[in-house]
């Protein structure tokens, strides 16, 4: 293998310097250090080590000296993504811009996914098709919602329905299960940090479905409903909240209002946001809007269970009108 030239230390990436350091420290020490790194970091360092040739002695000495000086620094003097985010936050930089600069901040469990976070959705979808649906559900639950939605959309329709159901009903994730997933996906996943991690699969699945096109979301729910009505009902209750009605188009809102009693609507809108209330009031005639306002002012309070029942009735009616083509939700 050809000898590696000796570039200046500041010309090397962090991964390349780490790779050189690990080679100099030897297999035993390097293997122990690797256990403390994420799967993504291990993959990057391994790639750099594979590309290393003979290390120039002067470069080796510079890397070791740089490591020694860095190790002497207190944690407060060291850089890193966490420090970068803190500094950007103090400068009032939006989180969206931080993510563009530094990459998205990972949730607990996402770091274990390593290279999967950088795999093209189509390739990952193809790999998951060959796995058990429970495995696919486990992976998608631990991917960022945006990426999980892209992967799900790239899977065949029959696999989508089964995977969604598994995601919605997955309650806990055991460390050994994640270990098996890591093995089945060529060790691209790592075991979870704790032996048992509680997962709100239903909530996470609802968030993922909201990222899909509305027609695709409806198709998946309709396909699951005959055999799994309870799970679909729980998903719908998280997807179609009363606040969702702010997205209803004007024609649909007027159709909805024609079928809802004023007293029920007043109870549903009690303590609702001003924006949502105005969305309803704005689609009523001046006289009907005045009557609704009076009814809302007359109500001193509404029992939570009573309001929940009335709101659900209105939401169900909106879903029914959407299915009939009378009402539509705007994107949001």
């Amino acid at each position: 293998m050809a000898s590696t030239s000796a570039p200046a230390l500041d010309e090397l990436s962090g991964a390349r310097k780490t790779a050189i350091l690990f080679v100099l420290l030897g297999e035993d020490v390097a293997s122990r250090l690797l256990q403390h790194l994420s799967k993504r970091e291990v993959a990057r360092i391994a790639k750099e080590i594979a590309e290393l040739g003979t290390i120039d002695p002067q470069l080796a000495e510079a890397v070791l000296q740089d490591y020694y000086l860095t190790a002497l620094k207190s944690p407060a003097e060291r850089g890193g993504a966490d420090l970068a985010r803190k500094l950007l936050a103090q400068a009032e930089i939006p989180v969206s811009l931080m993510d563009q600069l530094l990459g998205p901040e990972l949730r607990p469990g996402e770091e274990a996914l390593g290279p999967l976070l950088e795999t093209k959705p189509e390739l990952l979808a193809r790999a998951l098709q060959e796995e058990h649906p429970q495995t696919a559900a486990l992976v998608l639950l631990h991917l960022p919602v945006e990426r999980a939605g892209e992967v799900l959309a790239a899977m065949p329709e029959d696999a989508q329905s089964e995977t969604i159901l598994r995601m919605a009903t997955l309650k806990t994730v055991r460390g050994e299960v994640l270990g098996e997933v890591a093995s089945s996906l060529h060790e691209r996943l790592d075991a979870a940090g704790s032996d048992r991690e509680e997962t709100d699969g239903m909530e996470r699945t609802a968030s993922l479905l909201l990222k899909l096109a509305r027609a695709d979301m409806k198709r998946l729910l309709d396909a699951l409903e005959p055999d799994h009505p309870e799970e679909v009902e729980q998903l719908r209750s998280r997807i179609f909240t009363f606040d969702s009605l702010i997205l209803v188009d004007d024609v649909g809102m007027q159709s909805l209002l024609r079928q809802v009693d004023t007293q029920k609507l007043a109870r549903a809108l009690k303590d609702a946001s001003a924006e949502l209330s105005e969305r309803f009031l704005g689609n009523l005639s001046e006289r009907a809007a005045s009557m609704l306002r009076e009814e809302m002012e007359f109500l001193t309070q509404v029992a939570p269970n009573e309001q929940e029942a009335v709101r659900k009735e209105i939401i169900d009616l909106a879903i029914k009108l959407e299915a009939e083509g009378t009402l539509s939700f705007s994107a949001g």
Side-chain angles (χ1 to χ4, degrees):
M1 190 173 290
S3 176
T4 302
S5 59
L9 190 64
D10 56 6
E11 295 177 4
L12 298 179
S13 67
R16 176 54 64 99
K17 285 192 285 187
T18 304
I20 293 173
L21 176 65
F22 277 22
V23 170
L24 296 175
L25 292 176
E27 292 182 16
D28 291 341
V29 176
S31 62
R32 290 199 295 270
L33 291 174
L34 285 171
Q35 296 174 11
H36 299 282
L37 301 179
S38 70
K39 200 67 174 180
R40 182 190 295 185
E41 291 168 332
V42 171
R44 288 176 178 170
I45 293 170
K47 182 176 182 296
E48 292 289 345
I49 291 176
E51 295 175 356
L52 281 177
T54 302
I55 302 171
D56 183 89
Q58 292 183 342
L59 180 61
E61 183 178 354
V63 169
L64 287 172
Q65 185 177 15
D66 181 66
Y67 169 72
Y68 175 72
L69 293 175
T70 302
L72 291 178
K73 294 180 180 180
S74 66
E77 297 178 275
R78 300 174 191 170
D82 289 341
L83 177 59
R85 283 187 175 274
K86 289 178 182 178
L87 294 174
L88 291 174
Q90 290 174 7
E92 299 183 350
I93 302 299
V95 174
S96 58
L97 183 54
M98 286 190 204
D99 290 344
Q100 291 179 27
L101 295 171
L102 305 174
E105 191 170 17
L106 301 179
R107 300 182 310 113
E110 288 178 359
E111 187 63 45
L113 298 179
L116 288 185
L117 293 169
E118 299 172 355
T119 303
K120 291 183 178 180
E122 300 79 14
L123 297 178
L124 183 53
R126 194 178 308 155
L128 292 178
Q129 287 171 223
E130 301 173 2
E131 300 290 337
H132 190 279
Q134 192 81 352
T135 299
L138 182 59
V139 172
L140 292 184
L141 280 172
H142 285 79
L143 284 174
V145 174
E146 293 282 357
R147 174 53 60 89
E150 293 172 351
V151 174
L152 183 68
M155 295 174 71
E157 290 188 6
D158 56 343
Q160 289 178 356
S161 298
E162 181 65 21
T163 303
I164 283 292
L165 177 63
R166 300 275 180 163
M167 291 174 66
T169 56
L170 190 61
K171 300 298 182 184
T172 58
V173 177
R174 296 179 182 276
E176 59 266 28
V177 173
L178 282 176
E180 293 171 7
V181 171
S183 176
S184 69
L185 293 175
H186 311 293
E187 298 183 352
R188 287 179 294 174
L189 291 177
D190 200 1
S194 59
D195 181 62
R196 190 177 184 89
E197 177 189 336
E198 293 293 330
T199 303
D200 189 348
M202 194 67 70
E203 191 67 36
R204 186 101 174 123
T205 305
S207 298
L208 189 154
L209 286 172
L210 282 168
K211 299 294 181 181
L212 301 180
R214 198 163 188 85
D216 292 336
M217 176 176 65
K218 186 177 183 302
R219 173 179 53 78
L220 283 170
L221 293 176
D222 289 346
L224 288 172
E225 190 166 24
D227 297 324
H228 307 281
E230 292 183 6
E231 287 82 358
V232 170
E233 178 64 25
Q234 290 183 57
L235 283 172
R236 281 201 173 111
S237 69
R238 286 166 167 77
I239 294 169
F240 301 102
T241 65
F242 191 66
D243 288 337
S244 302
L245 297 177
I246 201 169
L247 301 174
V248 172
D249 67 305
D250 288 338
V251 174
M253 180 66 78
Q254 290 160 20
S255 299
L256 178 66
L257 287 168
R258 282 195 290 269
Q259 300 186 45
V260 179
D261 178 81
T262 302
Q263 291 183 341
K264 285 186 177 181
L265 185 55
R267 289 197 292 274
L269 288 173
K270 185 67 176 177
D271 299 325
S273 69
E275 188 178 6
L276 180 59
S277 296
E278 286 303 317
R279 188 79 187 86
F280 280 90
L281 291 164
N283 278 281
L284 289 170
S285 65
E286 187 175 340
R287 179 174 176 277
S290 178
M291 291 175 60
L292 178 57
R293 284 194 178 93
E294 289 178 5
E295 192 70 37
M296 291 170 63
E297 292 172 1
F298 177 76
L299 287 171
T300 55
Q301 61 181 18
V302 181
N305 58 342
E306 180 186 0
Q307 185 179 65
E308 183 180 353
V310 173
R311 286 183 171 183
K312 186 179 184 306
E313 183 180 334
I314 296 174
I315 293 168
D316 289 344
L317 177 57
I319 294 173
K320 176 175 176 290
L321 292 174
E322 182 187 30
E324 295 173 353
T326 308
L327 174 151
S328 64
F329 289 82
S330 61

